[in-house]
């Protein structure tokens, strides 16, 4: 019973991340079905990721999405419970010892009682082919501060020291965990300019962030992590397109009508300060339907932003919660049957046309499985859970 | 190989410089021992016969040198706990410096910083209190006491890798003062009741100072002293290794 909700999305999630073709040259970074738990928390769950050499990749996710865990595994600071992490085709520790990796860790605070110059020189000298110290210091925007003690610097300056340490050794791969958290707007701009300069030399950059604009502006590719899984992988433009085209927003005259998501084309909606914002795959049909309801005041149709895409990708849909509950109920009722939800779903598929391609793939799959499980126990007092699941499946069909 | 050795040397030097700038080191490793030595040997000693005073000045010199060395040694661990908290140990693990070399480098750096503590008190003895020993005795004192401080460095490191910076600081200072008192570094164990005295002679700080006292008396350390110290070395070494492994797993 516990297996059902867990395996279904696990099978679907990595399918979105196309496994990149293996080149003769090993990729800078590769995660193969990597899992990591801390106690009962599943920090990473079946992550597949390949970063080619020279790419600049953003690891985007909310706090707690698994970004820092991924970075820790990447640097060999931690070991995965399942799967394998490789850097340049070798174990992370090997690549780190060989001086191919530089890192800027999250919350790296000031190293005490050491000057900027001493610290950067020491780290640079530990690498086989470092940048000239003055160059690393200049790239990090620390010129003139070489003689200052790191623990006497401001938070933003300390963060620049961390960046200097990441690049000092001239590594082929730099890993930056939330690199701009302590920087003001101007310092951020300067930081990203430096990062680009370093990337432009053919180096690979992987940075984690929860700032959408930063991911969109500075990465070739955005990998969205949510609850330890990769839920999207592509350029900012691709993500926006995948999120479902357009956004229709309209003023609400009174209380919002129920079932706004049942309108044609609408995949999602939210209510915000007197406006309804509907994400739609068919803006024309949605607008016509809204007009039919007399809702045309202040109507606006815009392209979806990356923020919309991100919110859609990382939302924990109410549908999924309901479906999980339903699965539990239904599975309990069919405890005599040995069939898993996957096999039942196949058997019922024949006499039920179902919108498999419906958006929100993971939750749709769960709902499908749930519904069919409920079907087998229809004569039972399956009760509310099963009933809800059936209703939802109906909705999915309608929208698709 | 040269590269790795060079990195190690640079790492030791970096950590030594950082320690010498540490107010904690300056106070517990250098200032206090010298100050206490001068106070204990120059104030309120007027009524003593000259021979007793000279003997006390030698005994206390070695006791306080041991106390300073102990402070510097356990202080290494306080620095480690702080570096762990500030993320420096984690940052080091992302550089090509191998983790084992970082630990070894830290132990070496800790041992190096023991030297100034020893030398300062011995210098105060020679210069201010006019302590006179044979030419061979001075280097023997420094060498033996330098080696003898190793168990304390390892004890401090064990605490540093295992505990938070605050806990390590409190524990290390507590251990320092406790070991110094029970070990007779501040007051001679002859003043202790008999039962306490026999306990004191098995404590690491007492045996550590005994290395120096026997040297000053012109004799080699007793076998029992060496055995007790080697025992403490083994215990503290195991403790440091276990703590380090635990911190590497959870860091």
């Amino acid at each position: 019973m516990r297996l059902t909700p867990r395996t279904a999305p696990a099978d679907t999630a990595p399918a979105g991340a196309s496994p990149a073709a293996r080149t003769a040259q090993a990729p800078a970074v590769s995660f193969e079905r990597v899992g990591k738990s801390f106690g009962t928390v599943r920090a990473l769950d079946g992550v597949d990721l390949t970063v080619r050499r020279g790419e600049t990749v953003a690891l985007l996710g909310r706090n707690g999405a698994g970004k820092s865990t991924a970075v820790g595994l990447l640097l060999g600071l931690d070991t995965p419970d399942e799967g394998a992490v490789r850097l340049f085709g070798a174990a992370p520790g090997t690549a780190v010892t060989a001086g191919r990796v530089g890192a800027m860790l999250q919350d790296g605070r000031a190293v005490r009682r050491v000057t900027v110059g001493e610290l950067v020189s020491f780290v640079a000298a530990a690498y086989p082919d470092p940048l000239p110290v003055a160059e690393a210091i200049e790239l990090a925007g620390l010129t003139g501060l070489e003689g200052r003690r790191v623990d006497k610097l401001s938070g933003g300056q300390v963060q620049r020291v961390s960046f200097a340490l990441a690049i000092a050794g001239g590594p082929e791969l730099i890993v930056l965990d939330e690199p701009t958290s302590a920087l003001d707007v101007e310092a951020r701009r300067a930081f990203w300019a430096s990062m680009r300069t370093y990337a432009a030399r053919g180096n690979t950059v992987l940075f984690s962030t929860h700032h959408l604009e930063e991911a969109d502006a500075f990465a070739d590719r955005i990998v969205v992590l949510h609850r330890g899984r990769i839920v999207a992988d592509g350029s900012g433009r691709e993500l926006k397109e995948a999120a479902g085209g357009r956004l229709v927003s309209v003023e609400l005259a009174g209380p919002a009508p129920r079932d706004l998501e049942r309108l044609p084309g609408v995949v999602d909606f939210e209510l915000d300060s007197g406006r309804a914002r509907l994400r739609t795959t068919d803006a024309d049909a949605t607008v016509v339907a809204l007009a039919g309801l007399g809702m045309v005041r202040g109507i606006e149709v815009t392209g979806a932003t990356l923020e919309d895409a991100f919110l859609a990708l990382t939302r924990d849909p109410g549908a999924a919660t309901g479906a999980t509950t339903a699965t539990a109920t239904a599975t309990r009722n069919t405890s005599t049957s040995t069939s898993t939800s996957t096999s039942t779903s196949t058997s019922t598929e024949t006499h039920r046309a179902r919108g498999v391609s419906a958006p929100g793939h993971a939750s749709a799959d769960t709902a499908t499985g749930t519904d069919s499980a409920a079907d087998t126990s229809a004569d039972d007092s399956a009760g509310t859970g099963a009933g809800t699941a059936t209703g939802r499946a109906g909705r999915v069909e309608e929208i698709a | 190989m040269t590269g790795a050795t060079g990195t190690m040397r640079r790492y030791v030097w970096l950590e030594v410089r950082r320690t010498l700038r540490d107010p904690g080191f300056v106070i517990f490793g250098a200032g206090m021992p010298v100050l206490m030595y001068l106070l204990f040997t120059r104030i309120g000693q007027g009524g003593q016969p000259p021979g007793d005073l000279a003997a006390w000045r030698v005994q206390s010199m070695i006791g306080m040198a041991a106390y300073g060395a102990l402070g510097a040694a356990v202080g290494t661990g306080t620095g480690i706990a702080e570096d762990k908290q500030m993320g420096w140990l984690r940052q080091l693990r992302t550089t090509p410096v191998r983790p084992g070399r970082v630990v070894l480098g830290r132990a070496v750096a800790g041992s190096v910083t023991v030297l100034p503590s020893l030398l300062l008190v011995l210098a105060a003895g020679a210069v201010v209190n006019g302590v006179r020993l044979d030419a061979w005795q001075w280097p023997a004192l420094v060498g033996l006491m330098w080696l003898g401080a190793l168990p304390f460095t390892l004890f401090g490191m064990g605490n540093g890798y295992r505990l938070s910076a605050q806990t390590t600081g409190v524990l290390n200072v507590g251990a320092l003062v406790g070991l110094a008192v029970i070990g007779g570094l501040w007051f001679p164990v002859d003043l202790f009741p008999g039962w306490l005295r026999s306990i004191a002679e098995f404590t690491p700080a007492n045996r550590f100072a005994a290395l120096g006292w026997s040297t000053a008396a012109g004799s080699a350390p007793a076998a029992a002293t060496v055995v007790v110290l080697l025992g403490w070395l083994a215990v503290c070494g195991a403790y440091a290794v276990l703590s380090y492994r635990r911190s590497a797993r959870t860091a």
Side-chain angles (χ1 to χ4, degrees), chain A residues 196-214:
Chain A
R196 279 187 152 167
T197 307
Y198 196 74
R201 299 177 182 184
N203 295 307
T204 311
V205 178
L206 191 141
F207 68 89
S208 76
T209 183
H210 56 259
H211 290 292
L212 298 146
E213 327 79 70
E214 291 190 342

Side-chain angles (χ1 to χ4, degrees), chain A residues 75-77 96-97 99 101 103 105 107-115 118-119 122-123 125-127 149 165, chain B residues 7 10-11 14 17-19 21-23 82 85-88 90-98 248-249 251:
Chain A
L75 294 169
L77 296 173
V96 167
T97 308
V101 186
L105 299 173
D107 300 328
R109 279 175 284 169
V111 184
R112 298 249 180 103
R113 302 182 299 278
V114 65
T115 67
E118 286 169 343
L119 196 57
F122 166 71
V123 170
Y127 284 79
R149 267 172 60 164
L165 298 183
Chain B
T7 300
R10 277 188 293 273
Y11 180 60
L14 181 80
R17 269 182 297 179
R18 294 184 61 214
T19 303
R21 290 172 189 160
D22 183 359
E82 192 186 275
Q85 184 175 325
M86 305 305 270
W88 170 231
R90 226 169 133 77
Q91 178 76 45
L92 269 174
R93 285 178 63 194
T94 70
T95 71
V97 190
R98 291 172 191 275
R249 271 203 309 276

Side-chain angles (χ1 to χ4, degrees), chain A residues 21-27 53:
Chain A
R22 288 198 172 276
T23 50
Q25 221 186 14
R53 297 183 187 199

